[in-house]
Amino acid sequence: MKKQDVPVLYDIALRAFQPDYEKYGVYPPLLKTEKKRFLPPLIFGKVILADDKEIGGAFVVPLRKKGEIGAIFIDPDHQKKGYGRQIMLAIEKQYPKVKRWKLDTPSENFHLHHFYESLGYKKTGEIKDPRSEMIGFVYEKTI
């Protein structure tokens, strides 16, 4: 992800996370809405393309043998077309030294629970967002 990618990807992320915002009243912490930018500089941003068009992004933190998926977002017009699965598998392939992946997702997003479980992730805990009181499920996968 380059600096010039941020405005387009930021708008895609807002649309992708809009249902969660409507339900919980907050966007994921990586979206800084007051400045229209993404938060952490330590996370590697990836651009997701389909037919040479930006359709989403991913934020990944690979730390030696452990990695965290900070967020994956796909434009709602391109969801449910298999891109999420391709992205998750591509991330694992790109970081072969990472043997344990971690991510979190809202506790009430049953579709995502099923999606991550179908990729071999297992629920390992719960977290509470102090801004919204939203409960999130923590998922991990060992490769």
Side-chain angles (χ1 to χ4, degrees):
M1 184 180 296
K2 296 180 180 132
K3 192 173 185 174
Q4 64 263 27
D5 297 323
V6 171
V8 170
L9 292 176
Y10 186 86
D11 287 340
I12 292 171
L14 284 179
R15 289 194 307 276
F17 291 118
Q18 186 65 31
D20 286 341
Y21 178 77
E22 290 171 3
K23 188 169 193 168
Y24 304 111
V26 294
Y27 287 103
L30 78 115
L31 289 175
K32 293 300 168 196
T33 53
E34 68 279 359
K35 294 187 179 180
K36 292 191 175 190
R37 67 178 176 87
F38 297 108
L39 172 69
L42 297 175
I43 292 180
F44 294 97
K46 307 290 184 189
V47 178
I48 300 164
L49 301 171
D51 299 323
D52 293 322
K53 182 181 178 207
E54 296 163 329
I55 65 162
F59 291 93
V60 181
V61 183
L63 301 169
R64 297 187 184 155
K65 293 185 178 187
K66 293 182 181 180
E68 186 163 341
I69 305 205
I72 291 180
F73 55 91
I74 299 173
D75 189 300
D77 293 338
H78 293 277
Q79 291 177 3
K80 300 193 184 342
K81 295 182 180 179
Y83 294 119
R85 181 171 298 282
Q86 290 176 24
I87 293 159
M88 294 293 287
L89 295 174
I91 288 169
E92 290 174 8
K93 187 175 180 179
Q94 184 173 1
Y95 300 102
K97 292 182 181 178
V98 174
K99 301 301 178 194
R100 185 176 212 66
W101 287 100
K102 180 180 173 182
L103 58 85
D104 60 73
T105 192
S107 64
E108 296 178 24
N109 196 328
F110 304 110
H111 173 75
L112 284 179
H113 301 174
H114 175 74
F115 171 69
Y116 293 129
E117 290 166 5
S118 76
L119 290 166
Y121 283 79
K122 296 189 183 329
K123 181 185 169 202
T124 59
E126 296 183 8
I127 56 173
K128 186 175 184 179
D129 182 330
R131 301 171 303 150
S132 66
E133 302 293 312
M134 177 186 77
I135 302 296
F137 286 173
V138 177
Y139 279 89
E140 294 186 39
K141 178 179 180 178
T142 301
I143 298 176

